[in-house]
Amino acid sequence: MAKKIYSIPLQKSLKELANIKSKLNRLSKDNLYLELHSLRGKAYYFLEIEKFINFFKINKDATYSIKTIEYFNSKIFIEILSKHFNFSQYKIKEDNLKPFFYAFCSLFESFDKDSFSNLFFKLFLHYHSQVNNSSNIEIDFKSISQALAKSRGLTIKESYKEIENQVFFNLLLNQKVAVSLKGKSIKTLRKKAYKKLFFQEFV
């Protein structure tokens, strides 16, 4: 699952970012250049967080929204992302990690807006479960998948059968099996199947 969520788009983005490596190198040498892009990139980064929060209706719970924003802007989370983006090659001072990260966001967004937005959506989706969530909000992957499928002219159908205390559950996308799971509970399998379908087909 992790590979599907972030590794593949991340590797694609890292190849694209080779085109702006000289600009990234400049960030560690030119303080004004770093400051300018840090301010700009912070705005873009927070806009992506807002898109994520709104998409999953996390904004309905103020406490959960704050926790999500704080986590995605925390030193720990940015350190995790910096490892994915291989920031160690740029010899960044510890105090400059966040400004460098924001500046990186600015340069990345300028280079390829769609890749920037798509990658961070997937990264947020992968790591959102680490937020200490005390609310009752639960991402409804079924409703989201159905809405996205409808917007793309696709149809989702369910099929299942029970054999010797085992349930075999399928989700069909345009009459073709997209997800196939087995277990004991139809309710549990349905949740797992729509979550898998969402990651597999719509992100």
Side-chain angles (χ1 to χ4, degrees), residues 38-177:
S38 177
L39 291 170
R40 185 173 180 270
K42 185 174 183 179
Y44 286 126
Y45 182 64
F46 273 81
L47 281 173
E48 293 306 316
I49 296 175
E50 182 182 18
K51 286 181 192 176
F52 178 82
I53 286 173
N54 292 342
F55 184 86
F56 288 111
K57 304 188 188 310
I58 294 169
N59 57 349
K60 290 184 176 181
D61 185 317
T63 300
Y64 187 24
S65 294
I66 291 169
K67 285 182 179 180
T68 303
I69 293 168
E70 287 178 344
Y71 177 70
F72 286 152
N73 193 46
S74 67
K75 182 181 178 183
I76 292 173
F77 185 67
I78 288 176
E79 284 175 349
I80 291 171
L81 295 187
S82 72
K83 291 176 182 177
H84 287 310
F85 293 123
N86 195 23
F87 282 176
S88 59
Q89 65 181 302
Y90 300 108
K91 299 177 181 178
I92 310 159
K93 295 179 181 178
E94 187 176 348
D95 292 344
N96 277 345
L97 180 60
K98 266 195 175 184
F100 186 92
F101 171 74
Y102 294 141
F104 159 80
C105 288
S106 170
L107 295 171
F108 186 4
E109 194 276 344
S110 296
F111 176 70
D112 191 332
K113 186 179 296 185
D114 290 339
S115 290
F116 171 77
S117 186
N118 187 41
L119 177 60
F120 275 99
F121 181 85
K122 290 181 171 75
L123 286 166
F124 293 154
L125 197 55
H126 180 70
Y127 286 108
H128 87 281
S129 60
Q130 296 185 26
V131 178
N132 180 22
N133 175 23
S134 59
S135 78
N136 293 318
I137 288 179
E138 182 177 344
I139 294 173
D140 186 350
F141 288 104
K142 180 179 178 180
S143 296
I144 292 169
S145 294
Q146 288 175 332
L148 289 171
K150 185 178 181 180
S151 71
R152 299 180 189 185
L154 303 172
T155 57
I156 301 173
K157 289 187 177 180
E158 300 177 7
S159 71
Y160 66 87
K161 58 183 177 181
E162 297 182 59
I163 302 175
E164 296 180 353
N165 297 321
Q166 278 271 70
V167 178
F168 296 83
F169 187 92
N170 295 323
L171 284 180
L172 290 78
L173 195 62
N174 276 11
Q175 305 301 321
K176 293 183 179 179
V177 176

